[in-house]
Amino acid sequence: VVAGPPQAMETGPRPAVTIEDAGGIDPTPLIDQLRAGDFEAADQTTRDLLIEIAGADATKRGYVYWTEARTLDAAALGAVENLWLHYSDGKFGYTVQKDVWRRQKGVFDRFCDKIGWTTKDEVTGQARKRRWFGQSEFFYTLQEAPKGHLPLTSALRGTQLLKALLQHPLWETDDWKRDL
């Protein structure tokens, strides 16, 4: 018997993100905002979802501690990431930021420069971080925003939350990836 060339294993498309596999969160508002291109609303919804995913204590205080970030539910975090990647054509998401972070060798200021979180102060001419309180200085369109610009993660209490999100064990696998 002569064997022919090995046959490629058909993997088929990855399953779509559904409410059932989104770790208990309802992704519908985020889907609707991203689909409509309302990245500013989607950014806020993402922060709200992270708080919800982190649990009752985070919900009570209104923010996520950096120590909670690496233990966020993988299914929920993966669902959020898939939606951002899909509706931004791969331009926005935590894994996009993780790649930029890695290329900038984990240097926060270089990372911020690369993804557009830094601007030039009109008064002093010095570089400073963009502000999102009051009139936001961030970009909320695919055309204006640099790769990795969204979602925003507050660094007002330090950079630990961002670092912890980018170090979530989920990103070390492909299990979270879904087709939409």
mmCIF file of all heavy atoms in Angstrom, residues 113-160:
data_model
loop_
_atom_site.group_PDB
_atom_site.id
_atom_site.type_symbol
_atom_site.label_atom_id
_atom_site.label_comp_id
_atom_site.label_asym_id
_atom_site.label_seq_id
_atom_site.Cartn_x
_atom_site.Cartn_y
_atom_site.Cartn_z
ATOM 1 N N ASP A 113 3.653 56.769 24.193
ATOM 2 C CA ASP A 113 4.001 57.510 22.977
ATOM 3 C C ASP A 113 3.546 56.740 21.736
ATOM 4 O O ASP A 113 2.970 57.315 20.812
ATOM 5 C CB ASP A 113 5.509 57.744 22.890
ATOM 6 C CG ASP A 113 6.030 58.726 23.921
ATOM 7 O OD1 ASP A 113 5.218 59.458 24.543
ATOM 8 O OD2 ASP A 113 7.261 58.767 24.122
ATOM 9 N N LYS A 114 3.796 55.448 21.722
ATOM 10 C CA LYS A 114 3.525 54.614 20.553
ATOM 11 C C LYS A 114 2.025 54.490 20.274
ATOM 12 O O LYS A 114 1.609 54.471 19.116
ATOM 13 C CB LYS A 114 4.143 53.230 20.754
ATOM 14 C CG LYS A 114 4.215 52.413 19.519
ATOM 15 C CD LYS A 114 5.260 52.963 18.580
ATOM 16 C CE LYS A 114 5.449 52.047 17.393
ATOM 17 N NZ LYS A 114 6.322 52.636 16.398
ATOM 18 N N ILE A 115 1.205 54.386 21.315
ATOM 19 C CA ILE A 115 -0.234 54.194 21.104
ATOM 20 C C ILE A 115 -1.026 55.507 21.183
ATOM 21 O O ILE A 115 -2.252 55.496 21.150
ATOM 22 C CB ILE A 115 -0.828 53.141 22.065
ATOM 23 C CG1 ILE A 115 -0.771 53.593 23.514
ATOM 24 C CG2 ILE A 115 -0.157 51.796 21.860
ATOM 25 C CD1 ILE A 115 -1.569 52.704 24.455
ATOM 26 N N GLY A 116 -0.324 56.624 21.281
ATOM 27 C CA GLY A 116 -0.999 57.918 21.228
ATOM 28 C C GLY A 116 -1.621 58.384 22.526
ATOM 29 O O GLY A 116 -2.536 59.200 22.517
ATOM 30 N N TRP A 117 -1.130 57.886 23.662
ATOM 31 C CA TRP A 117 -1.642 58.349 24.954
ATOM 32 C C TRP A 117 -0.868 59.559 25.461
ATOM 33 O O TRP A 117 -1.138 60.057 26.549
ATOM 34 C CB TRP A 117 -1.591 57.229 25.990
ATOM 35 C CG TRP A 117 -2.604 56.136 25.798
ATOM 36 C CD1 TRP A 117 -3.506 55.999 24.785
ATOM 37 C CD2 TRP A 117 -2.815 55.026 26.664
ATOM 38 N NE1 TRP A 117 -4.250 54.867 24.961
ATOM 39 C CE2 TRP A 117 -3.847 54.250 26.109
ATOM 40 C CE3 TRP A 117 -2.222 54.605 27.852
ATOM 41 C CZ2 TRP A 117 -4.311 53.081 26.700
ATOM 42 C CZ3 TRP A 117 -2.682 53.436 28.436
ATOM 43 C CH2 TRP A 117 -3.726 52.693 27.873
ATOM 44 N N THR A 118 0.087 60.020 24.681
ATOM 45 C CA THR A 118 0.902 61.184 25.045
ATOM 46 C C THR A 118 0.616 62.302 24.050
ATOM 47 O O THR A 118 0.383 62.052 22.866
ATOM 48 C CB THR A 118 2.406 60.820 25.001
ATOM 49 O OG1 THR A 118 2.627 59.682 25.824
ATOM 50 C CG2 THR A 118 3.266 61.964 25.485
ATOM 51 N N THR A 119 0.640 63.529 24.536
ATOM 52 C CA THR A 119 0.469 64.697 23.674
ATOM 53 C C THR A 119 1.440 65.773 24.137
ATOM 54 O O THR A 119 2.097 65.636 25.166
ATOM 55 C CB THR A 119 -0.984 65.209 23.710
ATOM 56 O OG1 THR A 119 -1.160 66.197 22.691
ATOM 57 C CG2 THR A 119 -1.365 65.789 25.072
ATOM 58 N N LYS A 120 1.479 66.861 23.405
ATOM 59 C CA LYS A 120 2.337 67.995 23.763
ATOM 60 C C LYS A 120 1.472 69.047 24.456
ATOM 61 O O LYS A 120 0.435 69.451 23.926
ATOM 62 C CB LYS A 120 2.958 68.567 22.490
ATOM 63 C CG LYS A 120 4.015 69.603 22.707
ATOM 64 C CD LYS A 120 4.602 69.995 21.361
ATOM 65 C CE LYS A 120 5.742 70.948 21.525
ATOM 66 N NZ LYS A 120 6.310 71.303 20.209
ATOM 67 N N ASP A 121 1.876 69.460 25.642
ATOM 68 C CA ASP A 121 1.143 70.480 26.389
ATOM 69 C C ASP A 121 1.210 71.800 25.632
ATOM 70 O O ASP A 121 2.289 72.242 25.227
ATOM 71 C CB ASP A 121 1.731 70.630 27.796
ATOM 72 C CG ASP A 121 0.857 71.507 28.663
ATOM 73 O OD1 ASP A 121 1.016 72.749 28.589
ATOM 74 O OD2 ASP A 121 0.025 70.968 29.404
ATOM 75 N N GLU A 122 0.046 72.429 25.450
ATOM 76 C CA GLU A 122 -0.023 73.679 24.690
ATOM 77 C C GLU A 122 0.713 74.819 25.391
ATOM 78 O O GLU A 122 1.240 75.716 24.755
ATOM 79 C CB GLU A 122 -1.484 74.097 24.459
ATOM 80 C CG GLU A 122 -2.346 73.066 23.763
ATOM 81 C CD GLU A 122 -2.887 71.999 24.711
ATOM 82 O OE1 GLU A 122 -2.932 72.216 25.948
ATOM 83 O OE2 GLU A 122 -3.241 70.913 24.219
ATOM 84 N N VAL A 123 0.745 74.818 26.701
ATOM 85 C CA VAL A 123 1.356 75.907 27.476
ATOM 86 C C VAL A 123 2.868 75.708 27.627
ATOM 87 O O VAL A 123 3.654 76.598 27.313
ATOM 88 C CB VAL A 123 0.684 76.036 28.869
ATOM 89 C CG1 VAL A 123 1.364 77.109 29.698
ATOM 90 C CG2 VAL A 123 -0.802 76.337 28.723
ATOM 91 N N THR A 124 3.254 74.529 28.091
ATOM 92 C CA THR A 124 4.672 74.302 28.390
ATOM 93 C C THR A 124 5.460 73.742 27.216
ATOM 94 O O THR A 124 6.687 73.826 27.196
ATOM 95 C CB THR A 124 4.824 73.309 29.562
ATOM 96 O OG1 THR A 124 4.359 72.020 29.148
ATOM 97 C CG2 THR A 124 4.057 73.794 30.785
ATOM 98 N N GLY A 125 4.763 73.122 26.266
ATOM 99 C CA GLY A 125 5.449 72.486 25.155
ATOM 100 C C GLY A 125 6.044 71.132 25.514
ATOM 101 O O GLY A 125 6.656 70.473 24.676
ATOM 102 N N GLN A 126 5.863 70.715 26.766
ATOM 103 C CA GLN A 126 6.397 69.434 27.230
ATOM 104 C C GLN A 126 5.416 68.296 26.928
ATOM 105 O O GLN A 126 4.214 68.507 26.863
ATOM 106 C CB GLN A 126 6.650 69.490 28.750
ATOM 107 C CG GLN A 126 7.640 70.548 29.189
ATOM 108 C CD GLN A 126 9.031 70.266 28.651
ATOM 109 O OE1 GLN A 126 9.541 69.159 28.764
ATOM 110 N NE2 GLN A 126 9.638 71.275 28.046
ATOM 111 N N ALA A 127 5.963 67.098 26.795
ATOM 112 C CA ALA A 127 5.117 65.918 26.609
ATOM 113 C C ALA A 127 4.363 65.642 27.904
ATOM 114 O O ALA A 127 4.892 65.820 28.998
ATOM 115 C CB ALA A 127 5.967 64.715 26.227
ATOM 116 N N ARG A 128 3.107 65.238 27.771
ATOM 117 C CA ARG A 128 2.285 64.853 28.914
ATOM 118 C C ARG A 128 1.270 63.822 28.446
ATOM 119 O O ARG A 128 1.029 63.678 27.255
ATOM 120 C CB ARG A 128 1.581 66.050 29.530
ATOM 121 C CG ARG A 128 0.549 66.693 28.640
ATOM 122 C CD ARG A 128 -0.373 67.639 29.412
ATOM 123 N NE ARG A 128 -1.284 68.342 28.534
ATOM 124 C CZ ARG A 128 -2.400 67.822 28.031
ATOM 125 N NH1 ARG A 128 -2.750 66.585 28.299
ATOM 126 N NH2 ARG A 128 -3.178 68.535 27.240
ATOM 127 N N LYS A 129 0.695 63.116 29.413
ATOM 128 C CA LYS A 129 -0.336 62.122 29.100
ATOM 129 C C LYS A 129 -1.640 62.841 28.740
ATOM 130 O O LYS A 129 -1.975 63.873 29.312
ATOM 131 C CB LYS A 129 -0.577 61.180 30.288
ATOM 132 C CG LYS A 129 0.648 60.426 30.754
ATOM 133 C CD LYS A 129 1.230 59.543 29.667
ATOM 134 C CE LYS A 129 2.470 58.825 30.105
ATOM 135 N NZ LYS A 129 3.696 59.561 29.903
ATOM 136 N N ARG A 130 -2.358 62.268 27.789
ATOM 137 C CA ARG A 130 -3.673 62.816 27.415
ATOM 138 C C ARG A 130 -4.630 62.687 28.595
ATOM 139 O O ARG A 130 -4.479 61.817 29.428
ATOM 140 C CB ARG A 130 -4.245 62.063 26.211
ATOM 141 C CG ARG A 130 -3.463 62.303 24.952
ATOM 142 C CD ARG A 130 -4.131 61.652 23.746
ATOM 143 N NE ARG A 130 -3.290 61.808 22.591
ATOM 144 C CZ ARG A 130 -3.262 62.893 21.819
ATOM 145 N NH1 ARG A 130 -4.067 63.905 22.084
ATOM 146 N NH2 ARG A 130 -2.451 62.951 20.786
ATOM 147 N N ARG A 131 -5.640 63.555 28.616
ATOM 148 C CA ARG A 131 -6.637 63.545 29.682
ATOM 149 C C ARG A 131 -7.961 63.026 29.146
ATOM 150 O O ARG A 131 -8.337 63.327 28.018
ATOM 151 C CB ARG A 131 -6.843 64.971 30.214
ATOM 152 C CG ARG A 131 -5.593 65.570 30.797
ATOM 153 C CD ARG A 131 -5.862 67.009 31.273
ATOM 154 N NE ARG A 131 -4.625 67.595 31.732
ATOM 155 C CZ ARG A 131 -4.066 68.670 31.195
ATOM 156 N NH1 ARG A 131 -4.651 69.307 30.206
ATOM 157 N NH2 ARG A 131 -2.933 69.140 31.665
ATOM 158 N N TRP A 132 -8.676 62.266 29.987
ATOM 159 C CA TRP A 132 -10.005 61.831 29.559
ATOM 160 C C TRP A 132 -11.097 62.421 30.430
ATOM 161 O O TRP A 132 -12.276 62.236 30.159
ATOM 162 C CB TRP A 132 -10.115 60.327 29.430
ATOM 163 C CG TRP A 132 -10.103 59.499 30.681
ATOM 164 C CD1 TRP A 132 -10.462 59.873 31.935
ATOM 165 C CD2 TRP A 132 -9.720 58.140 30.783
ATOM 166 N NE1 TRP A 132 -10.315 58.831 32.802
ATOM 167 C CE2 TRP A 132 -9.861 57.752 32.116
ATOM 168 C CE3 TRP A 132 -9.275 57.197 29.873
ATOM 169 C CZ2 TRP A 132 -9.569 56.464 32.552
ATOM 170 C CZ3 TRP A 132 -8.999 55.923 30.320
ATOM 171 C CH2 TRP A 132 -9.143 55.576 31.643
ATOM 172 N N PHE A 133 -10.726 63.140 31.494
ATOM 173 C CA PHE A 133 -11.746 63.811 32.297
ATOM 174 C C PHE A 133 -12.057 65.153 31.643
ATOM 175 O O PHE A 133 -11.207 65.733 30.970
ATOM 176 C CB PHE A 133 -11.290 63.992 33.747
ATOM 177 C CG PHE A 133 -9.946 64.641 33.903
ATOM 178 C CD1 PHE A 133 -9.829 66.027 33.945
ATOM 179 C CD2 PHE A 133 -8.784 63.871 33.990
ATOM 180 C CE1 PHE A 133 -8.589 66.633 34.078
ATOM 181 C CE2 PHE A 133 -7.545 64.477 34.123
ATOM 182 C CZ PHE A 133 -7.441 65.856 34.168
ATOM 183 N N GLY A 134 -13.270 65.638 31.849
ATOM 184 C CA GLY A 134 -13.688 66.845 31.136
ATOM 185 C C GLY A 134 -13.810 66.499 29.656
ATOM 186 O O GLY A 134 -14.371 65.489 29.279
ATOM 187 N N GLN A 135 -13.236 67.320 28.811
ATOM 188 C CA GLN A 135 -13.217 67.054 27.371
ATOM 189 C C GLN A 135 -12.082 66.076 27.075
ATOM 190 O O GLN A 135 -10.918 66.414 27.222
ATOM 191 C CB GLN A 135 -13.020 68.373 26.601
ATOM 192 C CG GLN A 135 -13.001 68.218 25.095
ATOM 193 C CD GLN A 135 -14.351 67.774 24.540
ATOM 194 O OE1 GLN A 135 -15.399 68.144 25.051
ATOM 195 N NE2 GLN A 135 -14.311 66.958 23.497
ATOM 196 N N SER A 136 -12.418 64.869 26.680
ATOM 197 C CA SER A 136 -11.408 63.835 26.430
ATOM 198 C C SER A 136 -10.462 64.260 25.314
ATOM 199 O O SER A 136 -10.872 64.852 24.316
ATOM 200 C CB SER A 136 -12.067 62.517 26.051
ATOM 201 O OG SER A 136 -11.082 61.557 25.742
ATOM 202 N N GLU A 137 -9.188 63.950 25.497
ATOM 203 C CA GLU A 137 -8.179 64.247 24.478
ATOM 204 C C GLU A 137 -7.793 62.994 23.684
ATOM 205 O O GLU A 137 -6.857 63.026 22.894
ATOM 206 C CB GLU A 137 -6.925 64.818 25.138
ATOM 207 C CG GLU A 137 -7.166 66.132 25.839
ATOM 208 C CD GLU A 137 -5.945 66.657 26.572
ATOM 209 O OE1 GLU A 137 -5.033 65.854 26.908
ATOM 210 O OE2 GLU A 137 -5.902 67.872 26.812
ATOM 211 N N PHE A 138 -8.516 61.909 23.892
ATOM 212 C CA PHE A 138 -8.202 60.667 23.202
ATOM 213 C C PHE A 138 -8.933 60.596 21.865
ATOM 214 O O PHE A 138 -9.816 61.403 21.575
ATOM 215 C CB PHE A 138 -8.549 59.466 24.088
ATOM 216 C CG PHE A 138 -7.622 59.348 25.265
ATOM 217 C CD1 PHE A 138 -7.915 59.982 26.457
ATOM 218 C CD2 PHE A 138 -6.435 58.641 25.165
ATOM 219 C CE1 PHE A 138 -7.049 59.903 27.541
ATOM 220 C CE2 PHE A 138 -5.559 58.555 26.235
ATOM 221 C CZ PHE A 138 -5.877 59.190 27.429
ATOM 222 N N PHE A 139 -8.538 59.643 21.046
ATOM 223 C CA PHE A 139 -9.114 59.472 19.721
ATOM 224 C C PHE A 139 -10.083 58.297 19.745
ATOM 225 O O PHE A 139 -9.752 57.228 20.262
ATOM 226 C CB PHE A 139 -8.009 59.210 18.690
ATOM 227 C CG PHE A 139 -6.987 60.298 18.632
ATOM 228 C CD1 PHE A 139 -5.708 60.067 19.107
ATOM 229 C CD2 PHE A 139 -7.289 61.539 18.096
ATOM 230 C CE1 PHE A 139 -4.745 61.068 19.057
ATOM 231 C CE2 PHE A 139 -6.340 62.544 18.043
ATOM 232 C CZ PHE A 139 -5.064 62.302 18.525
ATOM 233 N N TYR A 140 -11.243 58.489 19.143
ATOM 234 C CA TYR A 140 -12.268 57.452 19.175
ATOM 235 C C TYR A 140 -12.740 57.051 17.781
ATOM 236 O O TYR A 140 -13.865 56.596 17.614
ATOM 237 C CB TYR A 140 -13.451 57.911 20.036
ATOM 238 C CG TYR A 140 -13.066 58.088 21.490
ATOM 239 C CD1 TYR A 140 -12.805 59.349 22.010
ATOM 240 C CD2 TYR A 140 -12.936 56.988 22.332
ATOM 241 C CE1 TYR A 140 -12.435 59.514 23.335
ATOM 242 C CE2 TYR A 140 -12.570 57.143 23.655
ATOM 243 C CZ TYR A 140 -12.320 58.410 24.144
ATOM 244 O OH TYR A 140 -11.952 58.571 25.465
ATOM 245 N N THR A 141 -11.868 57.215 16.789
ATOM 246 C CA THR A 141 -12.187 56.751 15.436
ATOM 247 C C THR A 141 -11.033 55.896 14.929
ATOM 248 O O THR A 141 -9.881 56.098 15.333
ATOM 249 C CB THR A 141 -12.411 57.916 14.451
ATOM 250 O OG1 THR A 141 -11.192 58.625 14.265
ATOM 251 C CG2 THR A 141 -13.503 58.871 14.942
ATOM 252 N N LEU A 142 -11.364 54.974 14.050
ATOM 253 C CA LEU A 142 -10.325 54.125 13.459
ATOM 254 C C LEU A 142 -9.346 54.958 12.642
ATOM 255 O O LEU A 142 -8.160 54.633 12.562
ATOM 256 C CB LEU A 142 -10.951 53.059 12.560
ATOM 257 C CG LEU A 142 -11.655 51.911 13.267
ATOM 258 C CD1 LEU A 142 -12.364 51.011 12.258
ATOM 259 C CD2 LEU A 142 -10.678 51.116 14.105
ATOM 260 N N GLN A 143 -9.813 56.042 12.051
ATOM 261 C CA GLN A 143 -8.966 56.866 11.206
ATOM 262 C C GLN A 143 -7.929 57.651 12.018
ATOM 263 O O GLN A 143 -6.785 57.785 11.603
ATOM 264 C CB GLN A 143 -9.812 57.848 10.378
ATOM 265 C CG GLN A 143 -10.754 57.182 9.399
ATOM 266 C CD GLN A 143 -11.980 56.556 10.064
ATOM 267 O OE1 GLN A 143 -12.427 56.957 11.136
ATOM 268 N NE2 GLN A 143 -12.529 55.525 9.426
ATOM 269 N N GLU A 144 -8.322 58.189 13.164
ATOM 270 C CA GLU A 144 -7.423 59.042 13.960
ATOM 271 C C GLU A 144 -6.532 58.275 14.935
ATOM 272 O O GLU A 144 -5.391 58.653 15.157
ATOM 273 C CB GLU A 144 -8.243 60.041 14.791
ATOM 274 C CG GLU A 144 -8.890 61.144 14.007
ATOM 275 C CD GLU A 144 -9.622 62.081 14.956
ATOM 276 O OE1 GLU A 144 -10.645 61.674 15.538
ATOM 277 O OE2 GLU A 144 -9.138 63.217 15.114
ATOM 278 N N ALA A 145 -7.090 57.260 15.538
ATOM 279 C CA ALA A 145 -6.393 56.583 16.642
ATOM 280 C C ALA A 145 -5.265 55.683 16.141
ATOM 281 O O ALA A 145 -5.441 54.936 15.184
ATOM 282 C CB ALA A 145 -7.388 55.756 17.446
ATOM 283 N N PRO A 146 -4.112 55.754 16.808
ATOM 284 C CA PRO A 146 -3.029 54.820 16.478
ATOM 285 C C PRO A 146 -3.383 53.392 16.907
ATOM 286 O O PRO A 146 -4.262 53.182 17.749
ATOM 287 C CB PRO A 146 -1.841 55.331 17.310
ATOM 288 C CG PRO A 146 -2.211 56.684 17.774
ATOM 289 C CD PRO A 146 -3.713 56.745 17.797
ATOM 290 N N LYS A 147 -2.700 52.443 16.350
ATOM 291 C CA LYS A 147 -2.902 51.034 16.703
ATOM 292 C C LYS A 147 -2.652 50.850 18.201
ATOM 293 O O LYS A 147 -1.648 51.308 18.729
ATOM 294 C CB LYS A 147 -1.951 50.155 15.889
ATOM 295 C CG LYS A 147 -2.234 48.696 16.025
ATOM 296 C CD LYS A 147 -1.443 47.883 15.025
ATOM 297 C CE LYS A 147 -1.898 46.436 15.117
ATOM 298 N NZ LYS A 147 -1.363 45.642 14.015
ATOM 299 N N GLY A 148 -3.609 50.204 18.891
ATOM 300 C CA GLY A 148 -3.487 49.948 20.319
ATOM 301 C C GLY A 148 -4.015 51.064 21.210
ATOM 302 O O GLY A 148 -3.959 50.966 22.431
ATOM 303 N N HIS A 149 -4.557 52.117 20.631
ATOM 304 C CA HIS A 149 -5.015 53.288 21.394
ATOM 305 C C HIS A 149 -6.140 52.941 22.371
ATOM 306 O O HIS A 149 -6.219 53.518 23.452
ATOM 307 C CB HIS A 149 -5.481 54.355 20.408
ATOM 308 C CG HIS A 149 -5.710 55.709 20.999
ATOM 309 N ND1 HIS A 149 -4.684 56.504 21.452
ATOM 310 C CD2 HIS A 149 -6.850 56.406 21.193
ATOM 311 C CE1 HIS A 149 -5.185 57.647 21.902
ATOM 312 N NE2 HIS A 149 -6.497 57.611 21.765
ATOM 313 N N LEU A 150 -7.011 52.011 21.982
ATOM 314 C CA LEU A 150 -8.157 51.632 22.806
ATOM 315 C C LEU A 150 -8.123 50.134 23.078
ATOM 316 O O LEU A 150 -7.544 49.392 22.290
ATOM 317 C CB LEU A 150 -9.467 51.993 22.091
ATOM 318 C CG LEU A 150 -9.684 53.478 21.807
ATOM 319 C CD1 LEU A 150 -10.916 53.668 20.930
ATOM 320 C CD2 LEU A 150 -9.814 54.278 23.087
ATOM 321 N N PRO A 151 -8.754 49.673 24.153
ATOM 322 C CA PRO A 151 -9.457 50.432 25.186
ATOM 323 C C PRO A 151 -8.485 51.111 26.151
ATOM 324 O O PRO A 151 -7.359 50.655 26.359
ATOM 325 C CB PRO A 151 -10.292 49.373 25.901
ATOM 326 C CG PRO A 151 -9.593 48.076 25.655
ATOM 327 C CD PRO A 151 -8.874 48.221 24.344
ATOM 328 N N LEU A 152 -8.954 52.215 26.704
ATOM 329 C CA LEU A 152 -8.159 52.963 27.669
ATOM 330 C C LEU A 152 -8.171 52.256 29.017
ATOM 331 O O LEU A 152 -9.168 51.667 29.401
ATOM 332 C CB LEU A 152 -8.725 54.374 27.846
ATOM 333 C CG LEU A 152 -8.808 55.233 26.583
ATOM 334 C CD1 LEU A 152 -9.521 56.547 26.889
ATOM 335 C CD2 LEU A 152 -7.435 55.486 26.002
ATOM 336 N N THR A 153 -7.061 52.332 29.712
ATOM 337 C CA THR A 153 -6.958 51.813 31.075
ATOM 338 C C THR A 153 -6.364 52.908 31.930
ATOM 339 O O THR A 153 -5.289 53.421 31.622
ATOM 340 C CB THR A 153 -6.060 50.558 31.136
ATOM 341 O OG1 THR A 153 -6.608 49.564 30.271
ATOM 342 C CG2 THR A 153 -5.977 50.003 32.545
ATOM 343 N N SER A 154 -7.072 53.281 32.976
ATOM 344 C CA SER A 154 -6.622 54.367 33.836
ATOM 345 C C SER A 154 -5.290 54.040 34.497
ATOM 346 O O SER A 154 -5.084 52.941 35.012
ATOM 347 C CB SER A 154 -7.656 54.656 34.919
ATOM 348 O OG SER A 154 -7.159 55.639 35.807
ATOM 349 N N ALA A 155 -4.398 55.017 34.474
ATOM 350 C CA ALA A 155 -3.117 54.890 35.177
ATOM 351 C C ALA A 155 -3.020 55.948 36.273
ATOM 352 O O ALA A 155 -1.934 56.245 36.754
ATOM 353 C CB ALA A 155 -1.963 55.022 34.191
ATOM 354 N N LEU A 156 -4.171 56.500 36.659
ATOM 355 C CA LEU A 156 -4.172 57.525 37.702
ATOM 356 C C LEU A 156 -3.644 56.987 39.024
ATOM 357 O O LEU A 156 -3.030 57.702 39.790
ATOM 358 C CB LEU A 156 -5.576 58.105 37.903
ATOM 359 C CG LEU A 156 -6.093 58.981 36.760
ATOM 360 C CD1 LEU A 156 -7.540 59.397 37.028
ATOM 361 C CD2 LEU A 156 -5.216 60.202 36.573
ATOM 362 N N ARG A 157 -3.913 55.699 39.284
ATOM 363 C CA ARG A 157 -3.421 55.076 40.515
ATOM 364 C C ARG A 157 -2.171 54.237 40.244
ATOM 365 O O ARG A 157 -1.839 53.338 40.999
ATOM 366 C CB ARG A 157 -4.527 54.210 41.139
ATOM 367 C CG ARG A 157 -5.669 55.014 41.724
ATOM 368 C CD ARG A 157 -6.731 54.123 42.365
ATOM 369 N NE ARG A 157 -7.531 53.402 41.399
ATOM 370 C CZ ARG A 157 -8.609 53.887 40.788
ATOM 371 N NH1 ARG A 157 -9.005 55.113 41.046
ATOM 372 N NH2 ARG A 157 -9.284 53.159 39.945
ATOM 373 N N GLY A 158 -1.513 54.511 39.120
ATOM 374 C CA GLY A 158 -0.309 53.771 38.761
ATOM 375 C C GLY A 158 -0.547 52.861 37.570
ATOM 376 O O GLY A 158 -1.667 52.707 37.101
ATOM 377 N N THR A 159 0.522 52.273 37.090
ATOM 378 C CA THR A 159 0.463 51.467 35.883
ATOM 379 C C THR A 159 0.204 49.984 36.155
ATOM 380 O O THR A 159 0.126 49.195 35.224
ATOM 381 C CB THR A 159 1.777 51.603 35.100
ATOM 382 O OG1 THR A 159 2.853 51.147 35.936
ATOM 383 C CG2 THR A 159 2.028 53.048 34.683
ATOM 384 N N GLN A 160 0.041 49.608 37.413
ATOM 385 C CA GLN A 160 -0.091 48.192 37.751
ATOM 386 C C GLN A 160 -1.315 47.534 37.113
ATOM 387 O O GLN A 160 -1.259 46.369 36.730
ATOM 388 C CB GLN A 160 -0.144 47.979 39.269
ATOM 389 C CG GLN A 160 1.114 48.364 39.985
ATOM 390 C CD GLN A 160 1.032 49.787 40.528
ATOM 391 O OE1 GLN A 160 0.345 50.643 39.991
ATOM 392 N NE2 GLN A 160 1.751 50.045 41.604
#
